[in-house]
Amino acid sequence: MSDLSGCGEGSSPITDRLGFAELLRRHRRAANLTLEQLAEASGVSVRTLSDMERGRSRGPQHRTVIALAKALALAEEASDQLVQLARDGRLRTHWTRPTGLCNLPRSVDDFTGRTAELDWIDDLVRTGDSPGTAGVGLVTGPAGLGKTTFVVRAAHVLRPEFPDGVLFLDLFGMSPQPLAVDEALALLLRALDTAERQIPHDVPGRASLYRALMGDKRVLVVLDNAASEEQVRPLLPGPGGVRALVTSRRLLAGLEGVRRLSLTPLSLVESADLLTGIVGESSTSDQKTAFTALAGLCGGLPLALRIIGNRLVSRPEWSAAELASRLAGEERRLHHFRAGDLKIANAFGMSYGQLPATAQKVFRRLALVPGRGFDATLAAVVGELPIEDAWDALDELVDLGLLQDSTSGRYRFHDLVRLFARERLDADDTDAERDTISETLMSWLLRMATTAGRWFEPAYGPANRADADLAELSSPEEADRWLRVNVDNWLGALRYAARSAQHARVLDGAESMHWFSDRWVHAPHWHEVFTLGAEAAAALGDLAQQATQLNYLAWVHLVPPYDPEAALRSVAQALDLATRSGTTAQIAWAHQYSAAAYRLLGRLDEAIGSASLAAQMFKAIGDMDAYGPCLDNVGDCLVEAGRYDEALEQYLKSHELTSTEGSGMTPSIAVLLRPYSLARVGECLRLLGRQAEAITALTEATALMDQSQVSNFRGGRALEGLGALLAEEGRTEESRRAYERAAEVFEEIGDAEASSRCRDLTTATR
């Protein structure tokens, strides 16, 4: 016989207040039965029992309850109590409350997407009363992401799971005066049919009564637009069958015991589907491309999509293509995101209004950053703040959803939020203030890039000459990373300086990228960088520097996809300028790049002659950093001519320079060039039929390339050649790994054809 305390010979005040679900669960546990054992003993399925104990089936049939009471061996009084609770549940299929209090808003008919997120809420509802889980879901995200629409939709879908009702309360978290906790509790208590005279006057009393009334009910509480943890905590129900969904623009990081869901923008496909749902299928048959363009301009924000959709519906004479054209220009784009009382700038403005003055200033000035990403150091520059204060401002912006952050410590705007920040900058800062901060920002970025680039220049290296206000870069690796992650920012600063006729600053920036560009060969911006450098040198009347930048441009044209004719045009100009200015090194570089262009054009005699001349000139002036690559270039030309023994001799000389201490080559450049000279040795040995030596050389070369973490077409070719050699030797597994790595390298540099070829070879070696 079950020996549940208080449920046998008599009942206690505690068990009198228990609901059917809790009482059944207590009886089962007192009898030491699992769900499966009780199901077998009673003939009631495990699923039905689980639903009863979770409160989903609050009024089971009389015969079912009698079967359970017998299986549990309950005393007569305990059995009668269980039967009565089940009868009460059947009579009260929906718990009534005064109408008009905390009613759930209607759900939109064209709700689209969020399938995974709806599954998350369904899981919350089903598992929230399990040990170690929370029955409270916190949904956060920036303005315009449709948090309210989403939870309202979920609440409507889940209505059948909550026979005692669904409560909805707007906490007005973004208003100047959020709903006070005592007022919120009073509203909830009235919705729970509490008489006015029974509502306590203090917050603790109201919260206690609220939880007591919820104790044995199956209710979903939706707390929308929360302002803070302090506002939410007293409104959260206790354990039992009640579930709560909370939405907030803020992260509410201090809220404990909740499960968190951060909404993200809709995908492009979902966005286009939502527009279609708003406007109607008939309107999209011949405008699919325009709808996709509009969806992209909305950045996945449901509010923006609804505004655009409503504008199209309310103006049937407009076409989607016409509206997409209007939105294309950034200057007026935000102006178009309004329809009646819906205006996306208002949504952003409510978050902006919550910020302290310092965070507001940082927010609007960050709109001046040229690229899409930035860090706290850059925020400190634009905000004219200490770094610690910049972190605080960024935390505020992320907390309100005005910035997106990442684990790497970088931040970015949503495109539409960035446009709003620009509007605030125009409205809140004077022209003089904007000009001053723009100059400060662009100067800082360009000086930072120049300092970072010079880490790789033989004449500079670690710089003690960096300006005091710049971020510290203590190693080549840090300089490399800064240049890569901030490329859009410093490139934007370079363009700004060019537009502002700051020719010396532009030239210094372009020149500092010379050796670094060899570490990032396939970056798409080198043509622009060195073009701006050449134009700046021309404006300054510096013939030698103009020749230098033109030679760099020739190099750009000699990286895949090749354009040897363009390279020769740049070289011709560079050679003329270098000759007129008497700059021997640039004359030699012009011959070096001419040789590479001639080789690509099949003009091998001219190629060998130019490459040999360049090597002689660099050796004569003692420039070993340039002499080594020239030897490789001579070897490349000889290979094309089929003169493999002579080519190997040149490659071995180059490899010796990069491998020998005291050769005269700058150590950092030797480290950069060593794997490529060794790879050429390996490739040439293969052509000479010296397979074993070729495998050894290429294996070492590719290992050095992996260590340097520099991906380029030379590395891909070396790995592909190694894969072929290993396959010929029957070393299938090693060959497959080499081809796989080659495919990855080619994919990283954007050579889809070579990547596909290597993946096919990988499959062929299985």
Side-chain angles (χ1 to χ4, degrees):
M1 177 180 293
S2 172
D3 187 28
L4 178 61
S5 177
C7 296
E9 299 302 320
S11 60
S12 71
I14 295 177
T15 55
D16 282 343
R17 292 198 298 269
L18 293 178
F20 178 84
E22 180 64 18
L23 191 58
L24 176 61
R25 182 162 52 245
R26 291 196 181 193
H27 281 308
R28 178 178 60 78
R29 289 174 178 172
N32 289 319
L33 294 176
T34 64
L35 282 173
E36 290 76 12
Q37 289 169 333
L38 180 56
E40 184 177 355
S42 65
V44 179
S45 72
V46 173
R47 176 60 183 271
T48 300
L49 282 171
S50 177
D51 285 346
M52 289 179 190
E53 290 195 3
R54 289 168 178 257
R56 293 193 182 119
S57 176
R58 299 182 57 80
Q61 294 300 312
H62 178 77
R63 62 179 178 275
T64 301
V65 181
I66 293 299
L68 290 172
K70 288 182 179 179
L72 290 165
L74 295 181
E76 182 179 352
E77 187 174 349
S79 177
D80 290 344
Q81 184 184 23
L82 201 63
V83 169
Q84 183 61 46
L85 286 172
R87 182 182 295 115
D88 291 344
R90 289 194 298 276
L91 292 173
R92 187 182 58 184
T93 57
H94 185 77
W95 180 54
T96 59
R97 60 176 185 271
T99 59
L101 293 178
C102 299
N103 282 344
L104 186 65
R106 72 180 183 88
S107 178
V108 295
D109 294 333
D110 49 31
F111 184 89
T112 302
R114 303 294 190 204
T115 302
E117 292 87 345
L118 288 170
D119 286 344
W120 180 89
I121 287 187
D122 186 67
D123 182 64
L124 170 81
V125 168
R126 295 181 185 281
T127 63
D129 57 357
S130 299
T133 64
V136 180
L138 173 61
V139 180
T140 60
L145 271 181
K147 297 179 293 297
T148 300
T149 302
F150 166 64
V151 296
V152 167
R153 176 69 170 194
H156 277 282
V157 171
L158 292 169
R159 264 189 185 277
E161 300 283 346
F162 296 95
D164 291 331
V166 178
L167 303 177
F168 178 92
L169 186 60
D170 188 345
L171 299 176
F172 297 98
M174 288 295 105
S175 72
Q177 291 185 318
L179 186 65
V181 175
D182 60 341
E183 293 180 43
L185 284 166
L187 288 169
L188 289 168
L189 288 169
R190 292 184 191 112
L192 293 171
D193 204 15
T194 305
E196 198 70 33
R197 66 180 180 278
Q198 294 177 325
I199 297 177
H201 296 292
D202 61 317
V203 169
R206 291 181 178 185
S208 178
L209 179 59
Y210 167 63
R211 291 194 178 94
L213 291 173
M214 288 288 204
D216 64 346
K217 294 176 172 56
R218 184 72 177 167
V219 179
L220 175 64
V221 181
V222 179
L223 302 170
D224 188 43
N225 195 12
S228 65
E229 295 91 337
E230 293 80 4
Q231 185 191 38
V232 170
R233 282 194 188 98
L235 310 181
L236 298 180
V242 180
R243 299 290 179 270
L245 294 175
V246 184
T247 74
S248 179
R249 293 189 192 181
R250 293 188 178 275
L251 298 177
L252 304 187
L255 205 60
E256 59 282 328
V258 301
R259 292 173 62 180
R260 297 173 179 273
L261 173 66
S262 178
L263 285 192
T264 57
L266 297 175
S267 69
L268 187 60
V269 172
E270 289 174 327
S271 297
D273 286 346
L274 179 54
L275 270 180
T276 300
I278 297 168
V279 178
E281 290 286 348
S282 61
S283 300
T284 66
S285 58
D286 59 348
Q287 299 189 71
K288 186 174 182 180
T289 301
F291 264 63
T292 301
L294 280 172
L297 290 166
C298 291
L301 293 187
L303 176 58
L305 291 158
R306 187 157 300 283
I307 289 171
I308 294 303
N310 287 355
R311 294 196 76 184
L312 288 171
V313 169
S314 62
R315 294 170 174 81
E317 70 278 8
W318 283 13
S319 72
E322 178 185 357
L323 186 53
S325 177
R326 293 185 185 186
L327 290 174
E330 284 192 349
E331 293 303 316
R332 295 280 293 167
R333 184 180 302 167
L334 210 60
H335 171 77
H336 291 288
F337 282 96
R338 61 180 183 180
D341 62 350
L342 288 179
K343 188 176 181 182
I344 201 163
N346 290 344
F348 299 151
M350 292 178 72
S351 295
Y352 181 74
Q354 298 282 315
L355 296 169
T358 298
Q360 287 184 344
K361 181 174 73 170
V362 171
F363 170 74
R364 61 182 184 262
R365 289 185 173 187
L366 281 170
L368 294 169
V369 175
R372 294 178 62 84
F374 42 84
D375 58 15
T377 304
L378 208 49
V381 172
V382 298
E384 301 175 296
L385 299 168
I387 188 69
E388 295 81 7
D389 293 343
W391 279 115
D392 290 342
L394 290 169
D395 284 345
E396 288 274 359
L397 294 170
V398 170
D399 192 42
L400 276 166
L402 289 170
L403 283 183
Q404 303 165 19
D405 65 346
S406 68
T407 55
S408 65
R410 293 187 67 77
Y411 302 80
R412 65 184 294 270
F413 283 113
H414 185 281
D415 288 345
L416 294 179
V417 177
R418 183 190 182 102
L419 295 179
F420 172 74
R422 288 184 187 172
E423 281 195 355
R424 296 316 316 162
L425 183 70
D426 290 340
D428 298 346
D429 291 67
T430 66
D431 290 345
E433 287 172 331
R434 290 195 300 274
D435 290 344
T436 298
I437 199 62
S438 291
E439 174 59 29
T440 298
L441 169 65
M442 300 306 177
S443 169
W444 188 92
L445 283 168
L446 195 47
R447 287 182 290 119
M448 190 73 195
T450 302
T451 300
R454 283 175 173 165
W455 264 94
F456 309 99
E457 291 283 345
Y460 286 89
N464 295 320
R465 298 177 288 280
D467 296 339
D469 65 321
L470 298 183
E472 183 179 356
L473 299 172
S474 58
S475 68
E477 291 74 24
E478 286 187 11
D480 184 295
R481 182 178 182 279
W482 191 93
L483 287 167
R484 289 175 190 260
V485 300
N486 286 286
V487 59
D488 291 340
N489 291 328
W490 63 256
L491 188 58
L494 192 71
R495 293 168 182 152
Y496 172 89
R499 291 194 304 269
S500 305
Q502 300 175 27
H503 305 306
R505 186 175 287 179
V506 172
L507 184 57
D508 282 348
E511 176 59 31
S512 72
M513 297 297 156
H514 172 212
W515 283 102
F516 173 69
S517 64
D518 252 343
R519 301 173 64 91
W520 198 7
V521 170
H522 299 278
H525 51 266
W526 295 129
H527 185 276
E528 182 179 6
V529 169
F530 298 132
T531 296
L532 291 175
E535 291 171 352
L540 292 168
D542 190 333
L543 301 185
Q545 275 296 333
Q546 190 179 356
T548 301
Q549 299 298 310
L550 286 166
N551 272 328
Y552 298 162
L553 267 177
W555 168 83
V556 172
H557 292 304
L558 295 169
V559 171
Y562 306 108
D563 189 348
E565 297 288 1
L568 287 176
R569 288 194 295 271
S570 291
V571 161
Q573 295 178 62
L575 187 57
D576 174 61
L577 292 165
T579 302
R580 286 160 55 192
S581 61
T583 313
T584 304
Q586 293 309 315
I587 295 172
W589 278 115
H591 288 303
Q592 163 82 331
Y593 295 132
S594 294
Y598 288 144
R599 176 171 56 81
L600 290 170
L601 292 168
R603 296 159 61 176
L604 297 181
D605 288 341
E606 293 170 277
I608 293 169
S610 292
S612 299
L613 178 57
Q616 293 167 13
M617 294 181 72
F618 280 125
K619 186 176 183 180
I621 62 176
D623 188 344
M624 295 297 107
D625 292 331
Y627 178 54
C630 279
L631 291 174
D632 285 332
N633 198 14
V634 173
D636 292 345
C637 296
L638 290 168
V639 164
E640 290 292 327
R643 295 157 62 178
Y644 304 141
D645 286 312
E646 296 172 70
L648 180 60
E649 183 181 347
Q650 300 299 314
Y651 292 149
L652 289 171
K653 285 182 183 178
S654 174
H655 183 56
E656 185 178 2
L657 273 177
T658 63
S659 307
T660 304
E661 189 175 347
S663 66
M665 186 172 279
T666 302
S668 61
I669 292 175
V671 169
L672 179 66
L673 298 179
R674 186 177 304 140
Y676 303 109
S677 64
L678 185 57
R680 285 180 166 95
V681 168
E683 290 162 358
C684 196
L685 287 168
R686 180 190 177 199
L687 292 170
L688 288 166
R690 295 158 64 174
Q691 306 288 89
E693 295 172 85
I695 289 174
T696 299
L698 286 172
T699 299
E700 183 181 346
T702 53
L704 289 172
M705 291 175 193
D706 283 341
Q707 289 175 19
S708 68
Q709 297 183 331
V710 176
S711 295
N712 58 41
F713 68 98
R714 301 184 189 100
R717 287 177 182 173
L719 285 160
E720 186 175 4
L722 177 60
L725 281 168
L726 292 168
E728 291 170 9
E729 294 290 308
R731 296 160 64 174
T732 306
E733 184 60 27
E734 294 171 83
S735 173
R736 183 183 60 79
R737 288 199 296 268
Y739 280 134
E740 283 179 346
R741 181 67 186 119
E744 291 171 0
V745 170
F746 284 127
E747 185 174 355
E748 287 171 18
I749 66 176
D751 192 336
E753 181 181 348
S755 179
S756 177
R757 179 179 68 242
C758 289
R759 293 204 184 279
D760 289 343
L761 289 167
T762 299
T763 304
T765 58
R766 291 185 185 277

